[in-house]
C-alpha cells in the first residue's frame, strides 16, 4: 500500500514581495501601446505576414516576420531621406503615416496605380519597382510622415525598439 506524504509551506516564512505576480506584456501589447501613444484611435492587428493600412478605418496590420525586400526599402530611406531606420519600425511608421496623411483622392489614385502595377516583376527589377512604388504620392507622403515622426521622436522610438527586443544603434 502506498503512502502519501504531504508537506505544507509555511507562508509566513516567505519574504514579502518574493513572488512577482506582475503580468508580462507581450511584444504585441507593447507595440499596440506604442501605436496608441501616437494616435489612440488606431487599431493594430497582426493577422498576416505583411504590413498594410486600412486608412479610412484607422487600422494597421503589422508583422514581425522579416521580408526579403526590407533592404530595398532601407536603401530608399537612405537615398531619399538620408536616414537609416530599423525595418520593423520604418514599416510600422509608414503604415501609421497612411492614416495620418489619409486623403480620399490620394487613396483612389493609389488604388488605380496598384491595379496598373499588378505586374510580376523579376527580382532584379524589384529595385526599380520599389522606387516607382514609393513615388506614388500617397506612399511617399506616408513614408515622409514616418521619417518626420522618427526624427522628432527618436528617443521614444529607440526605447520602444529596445523594449520589444531590437538592438538600437
Amino acid at each position: 500500500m502506498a503512502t502519501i506524504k504531504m508537506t505544507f509551506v509555511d507562508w509566513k516564512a516567505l519574504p514579502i514581495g518574493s513572488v512577482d505576480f506582475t503580468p508580462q506584456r507581450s511584444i504585441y501589447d507593447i507595440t499596440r501601446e506604442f501605436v496608441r501613444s501616437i494616435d489612440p484611435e488606431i487599431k493594430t492587428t497582426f493577422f498576416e505576414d505583411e504590413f498594410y493600412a486600412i486608412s479610412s478605418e484607422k487600422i494597421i496590420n503589422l508583422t514581425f516576420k522579416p521580408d526579403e525586400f526590407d533592404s530595398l526599402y532601407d536603401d530608399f530611406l537612405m537615398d531619399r531621406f538620408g536616414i537609416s531606420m530599423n525595418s520593423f519600425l520604418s514599416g510600422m511608421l509608414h503604415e501609421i503615416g497612411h492614416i495620418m496623411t489619409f486623403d480620399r483622392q490620394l487613396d483612389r489614385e493609389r488604388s488605380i496605380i496598384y491595379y496598373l502595377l499588378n505586374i510580376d516583376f523579376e527580382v532584379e527589377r524589384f529595385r526599380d519597382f520599389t522606387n516607382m512604388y514609393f513615388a506614388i504620392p500617397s506612399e511617399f507622403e506616408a513614408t515622409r510622415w514616418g521619417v518626420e515622426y522618427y526624427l522628432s521622436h527618436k528617443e521614444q522610438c529607440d526605447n520602444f525598439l529596445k523594449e520589444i527586443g531590437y538592438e538600437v544603434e
Side-chain angles (χ1 to χ4, degrees), residues 10-72:
D10 181 2
W11 294 104
K12 293 177 188 167
L14 289 174
I16 295 176
S18 65
V19 181
D20 183 9
F21 291 105
T22 307
Q24 297 300 309
R25 296 179 317 153
S26 74
I27 192 170
Y28 304 104
D29 295 333
I30 295 166
T31 302
R32 285 186 180 102
E33 287 172 20
F34 181 77
V35 171
R36 281 193 303 266
S37 76
I38 296 171
D39 183 335
E41 294 181 12
I42 297 176
K43 296 166 221 55
T44 307
T45 61
F46 299 90
F47 290 130
E48 300 173 26
D49 290 339
E50 64 181 301
F51 288 89
Y52 62 84
I54 304 171
S55 302
S56 60
E57 303 297 320
K58 288 195 157 192
I59 297 171
I60 60 171
N61 190 78
L62 308 174
T63 180
F64 290 102
K65 181 180 176 185
D67 187 290
E68 61 186 300
F69 299 113
D70 283 348
S71 64
L72 294 175

Side-chain angles (χ1 to χ4, degrees), residues 18 24 29 45 63 96 117 133 145 147 163 169:
S18 65
Q24 297 300 309
D29 295 333
T45 61
T63 180
I96 294 170
L117 290 177
Y133 177 80
W145 184 92
V147 167
E163 194 171 2
E169 299 169 6

Side-chain angles (χ1 to χ4, degrees), residues 22-161:
T22 307
Q24 297 300 309
R25 296 179 317 153
S26 74
I27 192 170
Y28 304 104
D29 295 333
I30 295 166
T31 302
R32 285 186 180 102
E33 287 172 20
F34 181 77
V35 171
R36 281 193 303 266
S37 76
I38 296 171
D39 183 335
E41 294 181 12
I42 297 176
K43 296 166 221 55
T44 307
T45 61
F46 299 90
F47 290 130
E48 300 173 26
D49 290 339
E50 64 181 301
F51 288 89
Y52 62 84
I54 304 171
S55 302
S56 60
E57 303 297 320
K58 288 195 157 192
I59 297 171
I60 60 171
N61 190 78
L62 308 174
T63 180
F64 290 102
K65 181 180 176 185
D67 187 290
E68 61 186 300
F69 299 113
D70 283 348
S71 64
L72 294 175
Y73 186 61
D74 296 344
D75 292 347
F76 173 79
L77 287 175
M78 183 55 75
D79 294 345
R80 191 65 125 141
F81 297 99
I83 68 161
S84 176
M85 193 186 321
N86 170 280
S87 294
F88 174 76
L89 181 66
S90 62
M92 179 181 68
L93 291 177
H94 172 86
E95 298 309 332
I96 294 170
H98 276 300
I99 292 169
M100 304 307 259
T101 62
F102 180 65
D103 176 306
R104 289 199 185 279
Q105 184 61 36
L106 287 178
D107 205 48
R108 276 193 295 276
E109 172 189 90
R110 181 177 59 164
S111 296
I112 293 166
I113 293 171
Y114 281 177
Y115 175 76
L116 295 174
L117 290 177
N118 193 13
I119 302 165
D120 188 16
F121 280 94
E122 298 145 14
V123 172
E124 58 271 3
R125 300 273 335 266
F126 208 77
R127 181 173 301 283
D128 296 333
F129 170 78
T130 301
N131 289 330
M132 282 190 316
Y133 177 80
F134 288 108
I136 298 169
S138 60
E139 296 299 330
F140 184 81
E141 289 304 313
T143 300
R144 181 168 54 192
W145 184 92
V147 167
E148 289 173 358
Y149 184 87
Y150 174 72
L151 293 174
S152 63
H153 296 83
K154 188 166 180 350
E155 185 177 347
Q156 181 184 1
C157 290
D158 287 349
N159 289 338
F160 162 69
L161 288 173

